[in-house]
Amino acid sequence: MITIALSKGRIFGETAPLLAAAGIVASEDPDKSRKLIIATNHPGVRLLILRATDVPTYVQHGAADLGIAGRDVLIEHGGENIYQPLDLNIARCKMMVAARPEFDYIGAVQQGSRLRVASKYVNIARNYFAERGMHIDLIKLYGSMELAPLVNLADVIVDLVSSGATLKANGLVTVDEIMDISSYLIVNQTALKLNRAGIQPLLDAFSLAVSKK
Ligand code: ATP
Ligand code: MG
């Protein structure tokens, strides 16, 4: 049995066509079902439906052989024991720094001011500002980050942005770009060694499907 860990919503929506190209069709829609283990048309392949941030953990420990996870989630997790062979080019967005329009970000950077940064992505935020020699006070949040600058919890946030509609709705603007984000196919290194005959054809099918998009 090959087990693939996925998250619902955006990732499943963009993954389903890639799975289909690899000959795998879920027996029910994870967005409608309450089941956490979903069978497929392929008797040797099943799907685990997880919270996005938990996908690397299941793959790292071998509870899933394969997974699909955002680059943001992989960097925050650390990626131990995980092989990342393929950028699937789905769920694309950018990791950005955003602030209230009144906040002088460029001035703060130039003057080396201490910056109050709120984010769910603490490793990405810490590394980014450390590489620039900036001192920050980092505030860990779990969601609704746009609120933080509005109520003076932080000067800036580090968050994923695609259309920018959420920032705009809350009166924030982007002030810096950290990195491009997309989702990757990830593989448990030990599973790949022990079951290359089962897993490699799936990797090849995904790779072909991505190259055709
Ligand atoms: P939750 O929304 O349940 O708190 P989450 O934010 O981790 O969890 P999703 O919103 O489903 O989960 O995001 C899953 C992945 O999709 C993220 O890890 C990221 O790689 C990508 N993603 C997040 N926001 C966007 C976006 N606005 N546009 C495109 N891709 C995104
Ligand atoms: Mg989300």
Side-chain angles (χ1 to χ4, degrees):
M1 177 66 78
I2 292 177
T3 302
I4 306 177
L6 297 170
S7 54
K8 295 195 206 198
R10 167 185 300 131
I11 295 219
F12 183 78
E14 296 196 47
T15 301
L18 294 175
L19 285 170
I24 298 164
V25 180
S27 63
E28 46 196 311
D29 180 352
D31 286 322
K32 293 185 186 129
S33 170
R34 288 169 185 269
K35 279 194 192 159
L36 302 176
I37 302 180
I38 297 204
T40 71
N41 62 325
H42 198 306
V45 179
R46 63 177 180 172
L47 309 177
L48 302 186
I49 307 303
L50 308 176
R51 189 77 187 263
T53 43
D54 290 333
V55 168
T57 306
Y58 278 71
V59 174
Q60 172 190 6
H61 294 284
D65 303 292
L66 302 172
I68 293 174
R71 185 180 178 204
D72 50 315
V73 165
L74 292 169
I75 295 174
E76 291 301 320
H77 175 271
E80 194 192 328
N81 205 26
I82 295 173
Y83 173 54
Q84 300 178 21
L86 186 64
D87 181 355
L88 297 172
N89 233 328
I90 61 171
R92 293 177 58 88
C93 52
K94 286 182 192 290
M95 190 64 75
M96 305 284 284
V97 183
R100 296 175 67 200
E102 301 78 22
F103 183 71
D104 180 12
Y105 178 73
I106 294 171
V109 171
Q110 281 169 353
Q111 288 156 30
S113 318
R114 203 171 179 91
L115 202 62
R116 294 173 306 152
V117 180
S119 189
K120 178 166 142 183
Y121 309 98
V122 288
N123 291 333
I124 292 173
R126 193 182 293 111
N127 291 341
Y128 184 74
F129 291 109
E131 278 166 13
R132 273 148 197 82
M134 292 195 58
H135 295 285
I136 64 166
D137 291 319
L138 193 52
I139 300 163
K140 165 87 185 184
L141 294 177
Y142 292 87
S144 303
M145 280 168 293
E146 298 81 10
L147 187 58
L150 303 179
V151 295
N152 200 27
L153 177 66
D155 302 313
V156 300
I157 58 171
V158 167
D159 198 5
L160 293 174
V161 179
S162 50
S163 71
T166 309
L167 289 180
K168 196 170 174 212
N170 290 290
L172 300 182
V173 292
T174 57
V175 291
D176 204 353
E177 185 175 321
I178 299 185
M179 63 176 77
D180 286 322
I181 300 289
S182 56
S183 287
Y184 284 70
L185 185 65
I186 60 173
V187 188
N188 176 277
Q189 288 175 345
T190 314
L192 184 60
K193 281 190 201 121
L194 296 179
N195 184 17
R196 194 176 270 277
I199 294 173
Q200 190 67 48
L202 273 178
L203 299 187
D204 294 343
F206 270 104
S207 174
L208 186 66
V210 171
S211 71
K212 280 186 183 162
K213 273 217 321 181

Coordinates of all heavy atoms in Angstrom, one line a residue, residues 7-11 14 51-53 69-73 90-93 120-121 142 160-163 181-183, ligand 1:
S7 N -3.5 17.9 2.0 CA -4.5 18.7 2.8 C -5.7 19.1 1.9 O -5.6 19.0 0.7 CB -3.8 20.0 3.3 OG -3.2 20.7 2.3
K8 N -6.8 19.4 2.5 CA -8.0 19.7 1.8 C -7.9 21.1 1.1 O -6.9 21.7 1.2 CB -9.2 19.9 2.8 CG -9.6 18.7 3.5 CD -10.9 19.0 4.1 CE -11.2 18.2 5.4 NZ -12.6 18.1 5.8
G9 N -9.0 21.5 0.5 CA -9.1 22.8 0.0 C -8.2 23.0 -1.2 O -8.2 22.2 -2.1
R10 N -7.5 24.2 -1.2 CA -6.7 24.6 -2.3 C -5.7 23.5 -2.8 O -5.6 23.2 -4.0 CB -5.9 25.8 -1.8 CG -4.8 26.3 -2.6 CD -4.1 27.4 -1.9 NE -5.0 28.5 -1.6 CZ -5.2 29.1 -0.4 NH1 -4.5 28.7 0.6 NH2 -6.0 30.1 -0.3
I11 N -5.0 22.9 -1.9 CA -4.0 21.9 -2.3 C -4.7 20.7 -2.9 O -4.3 20.2 -4.0 CB -3.1 21.5 -1.1 CG1 -2.3 22.7 -0.7 CG2 -2.2 20.3 -1.5 CD1 -0.9 22.5 -0.3
E14 N -6.0 21.5 -6.5 CA -5.0 21.6 -7.5 C -4.2 20.3 -7.7 O -3.6 20.1 -8.7 CB -4.0 22.7 -7.2 CG -4.7 24.1 -7.3 CD -3.7 25.3 -7.4 OE1 -2.8 25.3 -8.2 OE2 -3.9 26.2 -6.6
R51 N -4.3 18.4 8.1 CA -4.0 19.8 8.2 C -2.7 20.1 7.4 O -1.7 19.3 7.6 CB -3.8 20.2 9.7 CG -3.7 21.6 10.0 CD -5.1 22.2 9.9 NE -5.0 23.7 10.0 CZ -5.2 24.4 11.2 NH1 -5.5 23.7 12.3 NH2 -5.1 25.7 11.2
A52 N -2.6 21.1 6.6 CA -1.4 21.4 5.8 C -0.1 21.3 6.5 O 0.8 20.6 6.0 CB -1.6 22.7 5.1
T53 N -0.1 21.8 7.7 CA 1.2 21.9 8.5 C 1.6 20.5 9.0 O 2.7 20.3 9.4 CB 1.1 22.9 9.6 OG1 -0.2 22.7 10.3 CG2 1.2 24.3 9.2
A69 N 3.1 19.3 0.0 CA 3.1 20.4 1.0 C 3.7 21.6 0.4 O 4.6 21.6 -0.5 CB 3.9 19.9 2.2
G70 N 3.3 22.8 0.9 CA 3.8 24.1 0.4 C 5.2 24.3 0.9 O 5.6 23.8 2.0
R71 N 6.0 25.0 0.1 CA 7.4 25.3 0.5 C 7.4 26.0 1.8 O 8.4 25.8 2.6 CB 8.0 26.2 -0.6 CG 9.4 26.5 -0.4 CD 10.0 27.4 -1.6 NE 11.3 27.7 -1.3 CZ 12.0 28.8 -1.8 NH1 11.3 29.7 -2.6 NH2 13.2 29.0 -1.6
D72 N 6.4 26.9 2.1 CA 6.4 27.5 3.4 C 6.3 26.5 4.6 O 7.1 26.6 5.5 CB 5.1 28.5 3.5 CG 3.8 27.7 3.0 OD1 3.9 27.0 2.0 OD2 2.8 27.9 3.7
V73 N 5.4 25.5 4.4 CA 5.3 24.5 5.4 C 6.5 23.7 5.6 O 7.0 23.3 6.7 CB 4.1 23.6 5.0 CG1 4.0 22.3 5.8 CG2 2.8 24.4 5.2
I90 N 2.0 24.2 -8.1 CA 0.6 24.5 -7.7 C 0.6 25.3 -6.5 O 1.6 25.4 -5.8 CB -0.2 23.2 -7.6 CG1 0.3 22.3 -6.5 CG2 -0.3 22.4 -8.9 CD1 -0.5 21.1 -6.1
A91 N -0.6 25.8 -6.1 CA -0.8 26.7 -4.9 C 0.3 27.7 -4.9 O 1.0 27.9 -3.8 CB -0.8 25.8 -3.7
R92 N 0.5 28.4 -6.0 CA 1.5 29.4 -6.1 C 1.1 30.7 -5.4 O 0.0 31.2 -5.5 CB 1.9 29.7 -7.5 CG 2.5 28.5 -8.2 CD 2.7 28.9 -9.7 NE 3.6 30.1 -9.8 CZ 4.9 30.0 -9.8 NH1 5.5 28.9 -9.8 NH2 5.6 31.1 -9.9
C93 N 2.1 31.3 -4.6 CA 1.9 32.6 -4.0 C 3.2 33.1 -3.6 O 4.2 32.5 -4.0 CB 0.9 32.5 -2.8 SG 1.4 31.2 -1.6
K120 N 3.0 33.7 11.4 CA 2.8 32.2 11.6 C 4.1 31.6 11.1 O 4.4 30.5 11.5 CB 1.6 31.8 10.7 CG 1.2 30.4 10.6 CD -0.2 30.4 10.0 CE -0.4 29.2 9.1 NZ -1.7 29.2 8.4
Y121 N 4.9 32.2 10.2 CA 6.1 31.6 9.6 C 7.3 32.1 10.3 O 8.1 32.9 9.7 CB 6.1 32.0 8.1 CG 4.7 31.6 7.5 CD1 3.8 32.6 7.3 CD2 4.4 30.3 7.1 CE1 2.5 32.3 6.7 CE2 3.2 30.0 6.6 CZ 2.2 30.9 6.4 OH 1.0 30.6 5.9
Y142 N -1.1 32.4 14.9 CA -1.6 31.2 14.2 C -2.6 31.5 13.1 O -3.0 30.6 12.4 CB -2.3 30.3 15.3 CG -1.2 29.7 16.2 CD1 -0.9 30.4 17.3 CD2 -0.6 28.5 15.9 CE1 0.1 29.9 18.2 CE2 0.4 28.1 16.7 CZ 0.8 28.8 17.9 OH 1.8 28.3 18.7
L160 N 1.6 34.9 3.5 CA 1.5 34.5 2.1 C 0.5 35.5 1.4 O -0.5 35.8 2.0 CB 0.9 33.1 2.0 CG 1.9 32.0 2.5 CD1 1.2 30.7 2.5 CD2 3.1 32.0 1.6
V161 N 0.8 35.8 0.2 CA -0.1 36.7 -0.6 C -0.2 36.2 -2.0 O 0.8 35.8 -2.6 CB 0.6 38.2 -0.7 CG1 -0.3 39.1 -1.5 CG2 0.8 38.7 0.7
S162 N -1.5 36.1 -2.4 CA -1.6 35.7 -3.8 C -2.3 36.9 -4.6 O -1.6 37.7 -5.3 CB -2.3 34.4 -4.1 OG -3.5 34.3 -3.3
S163 N -3.6 37.1 -4.4 CA -4.2 38.3 -5.1 C -3.9 39.6 -4.3 O -4.0 40.7 -4.9 CB -5.7 38.1 -5.2 OG -6.3 38.2 -3.9
I181 N 6.5 30.9 -3.4 CA 6.0 29.7 -2.8 C 5.2 28.9 -3.8 O 4.4 29.4 -4.6 CB 5.1 30.0 -1.6 CG1 5.9 30.9 -0.5 CG2 4.5 28.8 -1.0 CD1 6.9 30.2 0.3
S182 N 5.4 27.6 -3.7 CA 4.5 26.6 -4.5 C 4.6 25.3 -3.7 O 5.3 25.2 -2.7 CB 5.1 26.4 -5.9 OG 6.4 26.0 -5.9
S183 N 3.8 24.4 -4.1 CA 3.8 23.1 -3.4 C 4.7 22.1 -4.0 O 4.8 22.0 -5.2 CB 2.3 22.6 -3.3 OG 1.6 23.3 -2.4
Ligands
ATP1 P1 -5.6 26.8 7.7 O1 -6.1 27.7 6.6 O2 -6.4 25.6 7.9 O3 -5.2 27.5 8.9 P2 -3.2 26.6 6.1 O4 -3.3 28.1 5.9 O5 -1.9 26.0 6.5 O6 -4.2 26.1 7.2 P3 -4.2 26.4 3.5 O7 -4.8 27.7 3.6 O8 -5.0 25.3 2.9 O9 -3.7 25.8 4.9 O10 -2.9 26.5 2.7 C1 -2.2 25.4 2.3 C2 -1.0 25.8 1.5 O11 -1.4 26.5 0.3 C3 0.0 26.8 2.2 O12 0.9 26.0 3.0 C4 0.6 27.5 1.0 O13 1.7 26.8 0.5 C5 -0.5 27.5 0.0 N1 -1.2 28.8 0.1 C6 -1.7 29.4 1.2 N2 -2.3 30.6 0.9 C7 -2.2 30.7 -0.4 C8 -2.7 31.7 -1.3 N3 -3.3 32.8 -0.9 N4 -2.6 31.4 -2.7 C9 -2.0 30.3 -3.1 N5 -1.5 29.3 -2.2 C10 -1.6 29.5 -0.9

